[in-house]
């Protein structure tokens, strides 16, 4: 009985826990052991915690990478739009303003806007979260480009702008 309680059962639980971790699930059973089996159990528990932390970090990195890919795709598209010689300035600015929301965290909930002097391209700005960048437009006119959220994100969702965007 001692052999079963001290060695066989903890090793069986470790096998079950190992299989659960392999499938991406955690394990909740408290496993104990004595002597070398206890050391093995402790090392396994440490490894499982580290594996969960790495998995969470990897998921966070994947989300950040998706956001960066959306931004890069938008920048590339804006570059291509501005390099076209078959459209005029107003059409270019309207097209760019329509492309801007695709780079945002919640593109379906925001609009892009470009204002240059008295001209405005894009949807009207409403009272939601906004992000603006100012620049000198045609003929040195004060201009700005921005995105505005039409509605706030869901309550449990991350904020609409990344920390570095909001600065």
């Amino acid at each position: 009985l001692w052999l079963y309680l001290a060695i066989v059962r903890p090793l069986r639980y470790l096998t079950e826990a190992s299989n659960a971790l392999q499938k991406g699930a955690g394990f909740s059973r408290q496993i104990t052991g004595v002597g070398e089996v206890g050391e093995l159990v402790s090392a396994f528990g440490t490894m499982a915690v580290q594996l969960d932390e790495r998995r969470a970090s990897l998921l966070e990195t994947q989300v950040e990478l998706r956001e960066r890919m959306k931004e890069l795709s938008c920048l590339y598209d804006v570059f291509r739009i501005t390099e076209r010689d078959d459209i005029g300035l107003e059409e270019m600015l309207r097209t760019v303003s329509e492309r801007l929301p695709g780079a945002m965290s919640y593109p379906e909930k925001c609009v892009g806007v470009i204002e240059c002097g008295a001209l405005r391209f894009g949807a009207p700005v409403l009272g939601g979260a906004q992000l603006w960048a100012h620049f000198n437009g045609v003929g040195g006119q004060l201009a700005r480009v921005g995105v505005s959220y039409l509605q706030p994100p869901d309550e449990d969702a991350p904020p609409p702008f990344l920390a570095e965007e909001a600065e």
Side-chain angles (χ1 to χ4, degrees):
L1 181 63
W2 178 88
L3 182 65
Y4 175 78
L5 293 176
I7 298 175
V8 175
R9 185 170 61 177
L11 290 177
R12 184 179 299 151
Y13 290 161
L14 279 177
T15 301
E16 291 173 8
S18 176
N19 290 334
L21 286 174
Q22 182 181 10
K23 295 175 184 172
F27 67 97
S28 59
R29 183 180 298 206
Q30 187 67 23
I31 305 171
T32 59
V34 294
E36 291 160 336
V37 172
E39 290 177 28
L40 177 62
V41 166
S42 176
F44 184 86
T46 300
M47 179 197 68
V49 168
Q50 291 173 346
L51 183 61
D52 283 344
E53 289 171 355
R54 286 184 182 150
R55 186 176 289 136
S57 176
L58 178 60
L59 290 174
E60 184 177 318
T61 300
Q62 287 174 331
V63 167
E64 290 173 6
L65 180 59
R66 271 194 300 274
E67 289 301 312
R68 296 299 180 258
M69 290 302 298
K70 288 186 339 186
E71 292 169 359
L72 286 173
S73 176
C74 180
L75 283 172
Y76 179 69
D77 289 349
V78 167
F79 170 75
R80 286 188 12 227
I81 293 165
T82 60
E83 290 296 306
R84 290 179 57 185
D85 56 7
D86 63 327
I87 60 175
L89 178 63
E90 289 186 14
E91 177 68 15
M92 178 191 67
L93 293 175
R94 183 191 60 73
T95 304
V96 168
S97 72
E98 291 171 354
R99 179 59 181 97
L100 293 176
M104 297 294 107
S105 296
Y106 309 100
E108 70 284 355
K109 295 182 178 184
C110 72
V111 295
V113 179
I114 298 176
E115 296 174 348
C116 186
L119 299 175
R120 171 189 218 100
F121 305 93
V125 177
L126 302 173
Q130 299 176 14
L131 182 65
W132 292 96
H134 297 271
F135 64 97
N136 289 325
V138 177
Q141 292 181 342
L142 179 61
R144 65 184 190 160
V145 59
V147 290
S148 175
Y149 277 90
L150 302 173
Q151 54 184 309
D154 297 335
E155 198 170 297
D156 59 336
F161 298 114
L162 301 175
E164 62 267 19
E165 292 172 333
E167 292 176 357

